[in-house]
Amino acid sequence: QAGLTQPPSVSKGLRQTATLTCTGNNNNVGDQGAAWLQQYQGHPPILLSDRSNNRPSGISERLSASRSGNTASLTITGLQPEDEADYYCSAWDRSLNAWVFGGGTKLTVL
Amino acid sequence: EVQLVESGGGLVQPGGSLRLSCAASGFTFSNFWMHWVRQAPGKGLVWVSGLNGDGSSTLYADSVKGRFSISRDNAKNTVFLQMNSLRGEDTALYYCVTGGNAFSIWGQGTMVSVSS
């Protein structure tokens, strides 16, 4: 099953802003949006933003999600060392009748 | 506290079977879709299967259709994944997951290794 497309890696400096992208099509991201998850090595993922771009309680206000057409974005401002992690997007695909994930982006904070 | 606890993983030979369980607590279990998502060592997340609240609707990834079966026991707040005809490529950490419009609640995972 086709997944969503994310850049494998992004590197930014401390206190800079990183924007992670997730590209799908009209049947997934373009239909009902994408959610964003963060995963640290050896731990289960944590939901950062749901498909309506809402942050669960406890998630930093430095993170914001948005969507333009078939591309979802996660913007992290004021990068901190603890932001270094893997980030995944996920969406419901109405044509596949399945959930799909992006391949993940490894964010490095320099 | 909302919690998902997986069990049942282990080492199995190719062609073998395993049954994973996920015990849920802290929320109204029967109101939520339950899913299994797997992650092979060093790889990304892959959705495997999902089941609606009353168990009447099931979904599977193409890679597991015909081999895996998802079910639930709402009286025991437990969801299961029966895995048959296992292959090396099924080797992964299997997470039990739920949520509203996104995967918001994750268990710690149970490891499945398929090898001779």
Side-chain angles (χ1 to χ4, degrees):
Chain A
Q1 273 151 324
L4 308 175
T5 300
Q6 297 182 251
S9 62
V10 168
S11 297
K12 288 288 186 180
L14 196 62
R15 294 182 295 277
Q16 289 190 329
T17 295
T19 298
L20 311 183
T21 59
C22 168
T23 302
N25 59 41
N26 291 334
N27 292 312
N28 43 59
V29 177
D31 180 38
Q32 294 183 21
W36 288 91
L37 302 130
Q38 177 191 56
Q39 186 179 35
Y40 294 111
Q41 181 79 15
H43 292 270
I46 298 167
L47 182 69
L48 300 178
S49 175
D50 66 17
R51 290 185 289 156
S52 300
N53 299 327
N54 298 312
R55 279 190 316 271
S57 62
I59 300 301
S60 172
E61 292 180 355
R62 297 187 295 108
L63 279 67
S64 63
S66 62
R67 174 169 64 110
S68 177
N70 295 334
T71 297
S73 299
L74 178 71
T75 299
I76 309 172
T77 59
L79 282 169
Q80 299 296 311
E82 60 265 29
D83 296 323
E84 193 162 286
D86 294 323
Y87 292 81
Y88 294 91
C89 57
S90 69
W92 168 252
D93 193 301
R94 62 182 175 180
S95 69
L96 297 175
N97 218 28
W99 289 86
V100 289
F101 282 93
T105 295
K106 183 175 183 59
L107 175 62
T108 300
V109 179
L110 304 171
Chain B
E1 179 192 4
V2 174
Q3 196 171 16
L4 298 172
V5 179
E6 304 94 334
S7 60
L11 176 63
V12 61
Q13 292 188 337
S17 298
L18 274 178
R19 189 192 197 204
L20 307 184
S21 299
C22 170
S25 59
F27 63 100
T28 307
F29 181 71
S30 59
N31 285 355
F32 288 86
W33 275 80
M34 296 298 297
H35 302 269
W36 290 94
V37 173
R38 69 185 181 186
Q39 187 169 35
K43 302 296 185 182
L45 302 169
V46 176
W47 174 81
V48 173
S49 181
L51 176 66
N52 70 342
D54 65 9
S56 61
S57 180
T58 58
L59 299 170
Y60 298 96
D62 286 346
S63 59
V64 306
K65 271 179 190 171
R67 299 188 300 123
F68 290 13
S69 177
I70 190 171
S71 61
R72 66 195 295 159
D73 183 340
N74 284 347
K76 296 183 179 179
N77 288 358
T78 303
V79 62
F80 306 98
L81 186 67
Q82 177 66 43
M83 305 186 296
N84 299 329
S85 302
L86 282 161
R87 307 166 180 167
E89 54 264 37
D90 296 318
T91 294
L93 184 63
Y94 282 73
Y95 290 106
C96 176
V97 190
T98 190
N101 77 351
F103 297 132
S104 57
I105 304 169
W106 294 68
Q108 291 297 311
T110 186
M111 186 67 200
V112 172
S113 297
V114 184
S115 174
S116 54

